Amino acid sequence: MPKNSKVTQREQSHEHVTESVADLLGHEEPLDYKSSSLNVGAAAGKKVPQIEVPENDGRPAWNSKLQYILAQVGFSVGLGNVWRFPYLCQKNGGGAYLVPYFILLLIIGIPLFFLELAVGQKIRRGSIGVWNYVCPRLGGIGVSSLMVCGFVGLYYNVIIGWSIFYFFQSFQYPLPWSDCPIRKNGTLAIVEPECDKSSATTYFWYRQTLNTTSTIAESGGLNIKMTLSLLVAWIIVCLAVIKGIASSGKVMYFSSLFPYVVLFCFLVRGLMLKGSIDGIAHMFTPKLEKMLEPQVWREAATQVFFALGLGFGGVIAFSSYNKIDNNCHFDAVLVSFINFLTSILATLVVFAVLGFKANIMNEKCVVENAEKILGYLNSNVLSHDLIPPHVNLSHLTTSDYAEMYGVIKTVKEDTFPQLGLEPCVLEDELNKAVQGTGLAFIAFTEAMTHFPASPFWSVMFFFMLINLGLGSMIGTMTGITTPVLDAYKVQKELFTVCCCIVAFLCGLLFVQRSGNYFVTMFDDYSAGLPLTIVVILENLSVAWIYGTKRFMQDLEDMLGFRPCIIYFYLWKYVSPFCLIILISATVIELAISPPGYNAWVQELAQERFQSYPPWALVMCFALIIVAMLPLPVVFIARHFNLMSDGSNKLSVSYRKTMMKDISNLEEQDEARFILGSKPGEAPSSGPARRPFLTPGGNKPMDSLSPNICYGTSYQNAAITTPVAQLYP
């Protein structure tokens, strides 16, 4: 390479390179084609001198493969595995739900996860840089990913804040949510009416933790306890990501592994509890007829989609710090199955504990109704003849109560409703579906109050939730910081701190007394539809614009082996089709479902569905529009040349990688790189490689048009000499 070239000068000065590859190559001295082996007529055996590229190109890298795998596992395995997957199993047929979930994991989850890992590792950029390279006109994909990460991070960290509050409250015995508070009215001491109508754990959640208002329109001011918890949550996240993967990678060793320790401990403890087997049997008893319902498949696809963190940019960002020859196919399969098995483990734990809770509540129901029956017997409302001789009311079993209940209901058929007796069926307790905050902060906490050494288990549970949330938040923040740091010369630490401060200030929306309703709003509207559209555009840009055959060849060059041919069909046909169906179902659901939220009504001490007021409806749809707005804006701006294609943001590492690829071409490929496969044919748009045979036959991969949608312009600018001048 000429000593006065811009590339050489930049490498010697160690300055940050921001020029595009086209600009760099455009300033190189002209090549002497007659003496170069790039000349078709050059003597055999002559080689172009190899360009030495240092392995350390300045981009941070993972300290070990284990650290990287734990980071991907920590990002994909989150709160949804604990409080969403078990609920979907219960709702959609128990063990039968695992069948559609596993099928969709194979045909959607793993292929798209592999695709994101591969493009991040190959291009070594964050989400914005990757999609600027693949197709500049669709560069808005990366910006939309960043927007969705921002929205999700705002409310997701609030949930971590709630867990932090419960974590510190757990260092008490008895637990503060184990009993209803007593209100003194003069000389009388009465149970708090709101708590008496609901339950101790429900009251603690809605009144003492959130102190929630009855409507979203009533702000109620900031909740100081939740504001401080949110501040602590953002400080923890900031410290975890402030040094990039140098700090977040070390945090992942603990935050990714500790939840498994807790889950196994809970599983062992849960299996020792009375009634745990009832809960597990209820969960895994398949209701095969459910598999025929389209709603089950839609919810399974949505869960697969979000469980792996597709479209957020965190997967791409983490993968971009890998070595170019890392086996990302193995990583995709490994992380996907770890995620699936974690969901199964969490479901076993949840239903073991809920089975125990159901037995406790069922026994409580039997005791309360036995007291009612005893009162009716003493007041002669019921005859003693209705009680079977073997039944002992002082030690009443569930089976004896069920027999007595049936006799009374049959004999007193006309007046039975006035007695107010409940059936106390264990199956009814197990069928009470709870998910999300209802599972973690109400149902599970209530079950733990009956555990021996309940504060210990409560501390462990909420510390697990903090770590699960932290792993996902690190990935979300990396999906925000990596694309920006790749594109602009900003100080990493300063930018991270500024992001966390701004996020905390915006997060104050969620820690006012009505903040819980805004968490629900953002969860329903900010991610679902925008993220699905982002992922289908990712799929289409790689499979149909960049080209599946070309991408498969890139993978072979990068990995050293050709991935299974099934990926060709999955990326090109199956995944786009499934995603289009999912988008259509999501839009239909948004259209037919009344937009609203479950508000806690203090007077009734229960939740009641309420519709959003007009300003909140505008806010809901604004979240969707703002998240998707970069897609058309970037497309229009680049279509009319109002915005650069982003290639000037390619790093020195990727520039060197492309230069190295060109220098390592075989002689035949070098000629084709300049001339095309036939004399007189225009230069191809990228370095030619061995023909890739299509799955259906022996036809080699067609040469790509120079106008194909790439994010770098080096293919068209590298050589300007007319083809005819290259022949001797």
Side-chain angles (χ1 to χ4, degrees), residues 341-414:
L341 295 175
T342 303
S343 297
I344 299 295
L345 174 62
T347 303
L348 287 172
V349 171
V350 166
F351 275 91
V353 174
L354 291 184
F356 165 70
K357 173 180 175 287
N359 270 269
I360 294 292
M361 300 306 294
N362 195 54
E363 290 176 357
K364 183 180 178 181
C365 176
V366 169
V367 170
E368 290 176 350
N369 283 272
E371 291 177 353
K372 288 183 181 179
I373 293 175
L374 189 59
Y376 293 142
L377 292 174
N378 293 333
S379 60
N380 295 322
V381 175
L382 294 177
S383 171
H384 286 80
D385 295 336
L386 297 178
I387 308 302
H390 64 277
V391 172
N392 184 357
L393 289 176
S394 60
H395 296 86
L396 193 63
T397 64
T398 54
S399 58
D400 288 343
Y401 174 78
E403 181 182 354
M404 185 171 58
Y405 177 87
V407 171
I408 296 173
K409 185 176 182 180
T410 302
V411 175
K412 296 287 186 178
E413 183 176 359
D414 296 334

Side-chain angles (χ1 to χ4, degrees), residues 194 206-207 210-220 513-515 517 597-611:
E194 185 181 359
Y206 282 110
R207 187 56 51 215
L210 301 178
N211 194 19
T212 188
T213 59
S214 297
T215 65
I216 194 173
E218 183 184 352
S219 168
R513 290 179 57 197
S514 60
Y517 308 138
Y597 61 101
N598 289 321
W600 178 256
V601 182
Q602 183 174 2
E603 293 75 17
L604 302 176
Q606 63 183 15
E607 287 186 332
R608 174 172 291 181
F609 181 83
Q610 294 189 12
S611 299

